[in-house]
Amino acid sequence: MGSGMRLLFVGWATAGLLVASAAGAATFTVSKTADTADGACDADCSLREAVIAANASGVADTVLLPAGVYTLTITGAAGVDDEDASVGDIEIDTQAGGGLTIEGAGSATTPSDASALAHRIFHVPTSFNAVAVSISGVTLSGGNLTGFSLSFPGCALRAASRFVTGITLNDVVVTNCTAGQVAIYSWTPLVMNQCSIHDNASGGVGLSTDPNVNGSSKLTTITNTTIARNDGIAISSIRSVGNKQHSFNLTNVTLSDNDQTLAGVSTVGAIT
């Protein structure tokens, strides 16, 4: 599996830049596929610049991705899991309860070359305190955490924040990711629909619970999704301590040809 990182979004026509709503929320439309971070999302706006702009707004914003292959190339320090969205992985770190929706045009996978980023794609750090994150219509490919500490899993998406409302993934494909224990890792509940987590040199989905956070057990709901041919555990509860549990509700989910199907799950909650 290659180490280049590719984000494939298919079907949007390139449109405007910034549209503000009456409630103050904004829509940032990416205008190019190159990976840049010049401090502004204007007529020349990359995916990275759009997320940085949304992070700074403090309200619930949307990032729209037109058709194209988005290649992340701005590397950070090797093996360092920083929280700087301008380099390495892209931090989703909206403050003051804003939340963020990243909306691609479809998750169709098209072969593409990419420069090596040697990092994951998206990271929701512990400082995130907004209401929710939603990602749809995208393919996340080529995340690579080789050389990173095992304390920072998730080679495509890592959600280290413990916000209650969770992350929604709809029509998201994750493939060709390496290391990091699992492709998707979250401290917060996940809602996954019409997703495919396949052919990763890691496990599929890993969840943790935190006994020091308010609230009771967490529920991750996965529907109409395939988790297949991953070099690790398809679904795992990486950590569950105290009186907190993480339950999984699976409906029309295919788990096939993974190194292992489930781990830790039977002891932390029900699978239905």
Side-chain angles (χ1 to χ4, degrees):
M1 298 184 183
S3 60
M5 180 170 292
R6 300 179 295 279
L7 286 74
L8 314 179
F9 308 100
V10 179
W12 279 95
T14 302
L17 300 173
L18 170 62
V19 178
S21 72
T27 296
F28 300 93
T29 299
V30 176
S31 63
K32 65 180 181 180
T33 59
D35 188 19
T36 59
D38 62 10
C41 179
D42 44 31
D44 182 59
C45 184
S46 68
L47 168 61
R48 189 181 297 273
E49 289 162 348
V51 174
I52 290 173
N55 286 345
S57 76
V59 294
D61 295 322
T62 298
V63 171
L64 292 181
L65 293 125
V69 178
Y70 295 80
T71 303
L72 299 180
T73 58
I74 303 177
T75 59
V80 176
D81 205 17
D82 59 56
E83 297 188 0
D84 179 0
S86 67
V87 297
D89 59 353
I90 298 177
E91 271 71 26
I92 298 172
D93 197 14
T94 300
Q95 300 298 304
L100 181 64
T101 295
I102 297 176
E103 184 177 337
S107 62
T109 55
T110 302
S112 174
D113 292 329
S115 300
L117 187 66
H119 217 311
R120 69 174 63 83
I121 295 97
F122 291 120
H123 180 203
V124 184
T126 55
S127 55
F128 181 88
N129 62 1
V131 292
V133 172
S134 175
I135 301 174
S136 65
V138 302
T139 290
L140 308 179
S141 176
N144 191 337
L145 291 186
T146 300
F148 282 75
S149 168
L150 293 178
S151 299
F152 301 100
C155 57
L157 168 66
R158 171 178 169 81
S161 179
R162 296 146 172 90
F163 58 106
V164 175
T165 47
I167 294 178
T168 298
L169 304 177
N170 187 59
D171 184 26
V172 172
V173 172
V174 178
T175 190
N176 196 32
C177 289
T178 303
Q181 299 187 64
V182 290
I184 297 173
Y185 172 82
S186 183
W187 274 97
T188 193
L190 290 173
V191 175
M192 298 174 60
N193 181 49
Q194 294 185 329
C195 295
S196 180
I197 316 300
H198 67 86
D199 296 293
N200 295 287
S202 68
V205 179
L207 287 301
S208 290
T209 59
D210 187 346
N212 299 314
V213 176
N214 292 332
S216 57
S217 303
K218 299 177 182 179
L219 173 66
T220 280
T221 301
I222 306 177
T223 59
N224 305 315
T225 289
T226 296
I227 304 176
R229 301 183 303 279
N230 297 292
D231 297 339
I233 305 165
I235 300 176
S236 58
S237 180
I238 294 176
R239 180 187 178 198
S240 181
V241 290
N243 61 353
K244 299 295 188 295
Q245 295 183 330
H246 206 129
S247 299
F248 295 80
N249 188 332
L250 308 184
T251 304
N252 194 26
V253 173
T254 299
L255 305 176
S256 65
D257 298 320
N258 301 284
D259 281 2
Q260 187 175 337
T261 302
L262 302 172
V265 174
S266 61
T267 62
V268 299
I271 295 178
T272 60

